[in-house]
Amino acid sequence: MDDIGLLLSDVPEGTLLELPDGTTPVPAPKDIAAGHKVALHAIPKGTPVRKYGEVIGVTLADIPAGGHVHVHNLGIGPWEEPTASPSPRRTPPTQVSPTRDHFLGYRRADGRAATRNHIVIVPTVNCSATVARMIALRADALHKGTPGLDGVVALPHDLGCGMAEGTPGDAILRRTLRGYLGHANVAGALLISLGCEVNQPANVLGGGVDAEPLAIQQLGGTAATLNTALDRIADLVSRITRTHRVPIPLAELTLGLQCGGSDAYSGLTANPTLGVAADLLVAAGGKVVLGETPEIYGAHHLLRDRASTPEAAARIDQLIAWWQEYTATNGATLDNNPSRGNRAGGITTIWEKSLGAVLKSGTTPLNDVVGYAEPVTAPGLTFMDTPGYDPVSATGMVAGGANLLAFTTGRGSLFGSRPVPCLKISTTSGLYERMRGDIDFDAGPAMNHADQLTYGTALFEALVDMASGAESKSEALGFGTEEIVPWRMGAVL
């Protein structure tokens, strides 16, 4: 049984709150915002508090019936494996079937499936990022409107030098850039280097990655590099015009799941609705990727319990242990994760945030666990070890092969992810109305399982449409060229 209730509208101080146990209504002790929690009964100090049938924290003070439950009186301690709930609320299995069996995509010569046709300009190092942007801006303007070309984009980043070769951070950068350059949605690529950086083109190329390297110092500077790149891009564009969308089985889609700017409605509407869409894609043979390891903490036992192998289950526990040590070493804790906006939206602890975040993954078994930016190859659900910071997490998923992304948000997000389309989903209809120019899908009405099945099916359809070429709001606005953020790890030298 849950110990708290969620307010669906703002409650002024003194408003009588009807509690479900049939006792006399109690007045709200102060103004309480929609999405925040109130105690359904008196809760003594030191008591575990349950939401969704799971523990979200421990009371720091006595809380009266009807009292506001938030950061002033609820916190977490060291993780303890939860005892069985008297009536745990698990997400019921999806009971609908996929409404489609294919999407319209591009078939690459090596057999891979793409949802977009981009030419990408990737710098090896931040020192060549501005030149990469100049090339992309000029080329995109020259070739805008070319049939079959979704754009020429630069993918700048702030790494590539001041780092030691052979370290985990160096390996992550190489793997990430290889993943982008070799992505199915990339129809052509140039790799722009300065010439003297630590991250030389040879560190990134090879292993099937097909991109022409251009070195600014070797070519004689910015102007010469720009002119050479424009000539190369013209050749790439001539090949792209010969490609066309064809029917491709949904089994060849890989969907990355993201949530950002979460609020208390994330776990009530948008995330379980996205979970239904994820289940439908898995039922059609596709792949789904869940990440953001710090945002499964406190709910990782639910994900581990879904593991299809003992190895995958053990890997989840290993990742949580690593992140606890990693955050402690850097003077933080995993409960530092809920942002100011998350807390303003009603989320109190990381355990509470995680319970909602895991719902994005639906109900199917967890078949694989991979490292950051590693290729996603297993059918069904894969967990990727990524930070909770959305651009870093999404960058890892794209590098791992995701060819579309779904992004739930309660506070509002402007995220894009070229060369991969990203569909944004609101937790409330109010947010959708305020940010219609940025949000693609309103999951606000989906507050019960029956509605989540209905809206989840509609969301599945919208994702297939986007994979088939329907433009997302972020693509229409031009987002997605600044949002590549490889995971920065280790010393900057």
Side-chain angles (χ1 to χ4, degrees), residues 25-364:
V26 297
K30 61 179 182 178
D31 294 347
I32 307 176
H36 282 242
K37 299 176 289 294
V38 295
L40 299 180
H41 54 82
I43 311 175
K45 179 181 178 180
T47 303
V49 173
R50 291 185 182 275
K51 177 184 179 182
Y52 305 138
E54 300 289 340
V55 174
I56 63 169
V58 177
T59 52
L60 307 176
D62 293 341
I63 305 176
H68 182 206
V69 180
H70 203 30
V71 292
H72 60 288
N73 56 18
L74 185 69
I76 68 169
W79 173 255
E80 295 183 7
E81 194 67 24
T83 56
S85 169
S87 56
R89 282 170 46 183
R90 301 286 191 249
T91 303
T94 297
Q95 297 173 344
V96 291
S97 299
T99 51
R100 307 259 194 100
D101 61 6
H102 72 274
F103 72 104
L104 296 178
Y106 298 103
R107 179 67 75 187
R108 299 298 181 215
D110 61 5
R112 293 179 302 157
T115 61
R116 293 294 186 270
N117 255 346
H118 279 289
I119 294 173
V120 299
I121 317 300
V122 178
T124 58
V125 65
N126 180 254
C127 306
S128 57
T130 297
V131 174
R133 284 194 190 95
M134 293 170 64
I135 293 167
L137 285 170
R138 184 77 64 84
D140 194 56
L142 286 172
H143 300 288
K144 199 170 190 64
T146 299
L149 177 65
D150 290 300
V152 182
V153 297
L155 299 176
H157 57 89
D158 64 354
L159 300 176
C161 214
M163 58 197 306
E165 291 192 79
T167 60
D170 178 48
I172 281 176
L173 177 61
R174 295 184 187 195
R175 190 163 66 235
T176 301
L177 296 185
R178 281 194 201 105
Y180 270 79
L181 288 166
H183 197 281
N185 283 8
V186 173
L190 297 180
L191 183 63
I192 309 299
S193 68
L194 179 60
C196 57
E197 63 269 26
V198 169
N199 186 40
Q200 289 289 305
N203 296 348
V204 178
L205 298 175
V209 174
D210 183 19
E212 182 174 358
L214 299 178
I216 297 168
Q217 292 169 347
Q218 181 179 347
L219 288 169
T222 298
T225 305
L226 175 61
N227 291 331
T228 301
L230 291 176
D231 289 341
R232 301 293 191 276
I233 291 169
D235 292 338
L236 292 172
V237 169
S238 67
R239 300 179 212 164
I240 288 172
T241 58
R242 297 194 291 269
T243 63
H244 304 280
R245 288 187 180 270
V246 296
I248 297 176
L250 292 184
E252 298 185 56
L253 285 178
T254 301
L255 172 66
L257 308 173
Q258 291 291 317
C259 59
S262 300
D263 67 0
Y265 295 95
S266 295
L268 181 63
T269 59
N271 287 353
T273 298
L274 178 53
V276 171
D279 281 352
L280 290 172
L281 182 57
V282 170
K287 303 181 185 73
V288 171
V289 191
L290 179 68
E292 300 177 299
T293 313
E295 296 183 11
I296 66 166
Y297 178 59
H300 55 281
H301 60 291
L302 302 178
L303 194 60
R304 185 189 59 214
D305 291 348
R306 291 164 55 189
S308 59
T309 65
E311 293 77 15
R315 182 72 176 127
I316 292 294
D317 286 336
Q318 291 165 4
L319 291 178
I320 292 296
W322 185 91
W323 274 92
Q324 289 175 311
E325 181 179 352
Y326 177 64
T327 52
T329 300
N330 288 279
T333 69
L334 287 173
D335 197 41
N336 293 141
N337 173 276
S339 68
R340 182 176 298 182
N342 295 155
R343 289 186 163 125
I347 294 175
T348 303
T349 69
I350 186 57
W351 295 354
E352 179 182 15
K353 185 177 182 180
S354 294
L355 287 170
V358 167
L359 292 174
K360 299 193 304 293
S361 66
T363 62
T364 61

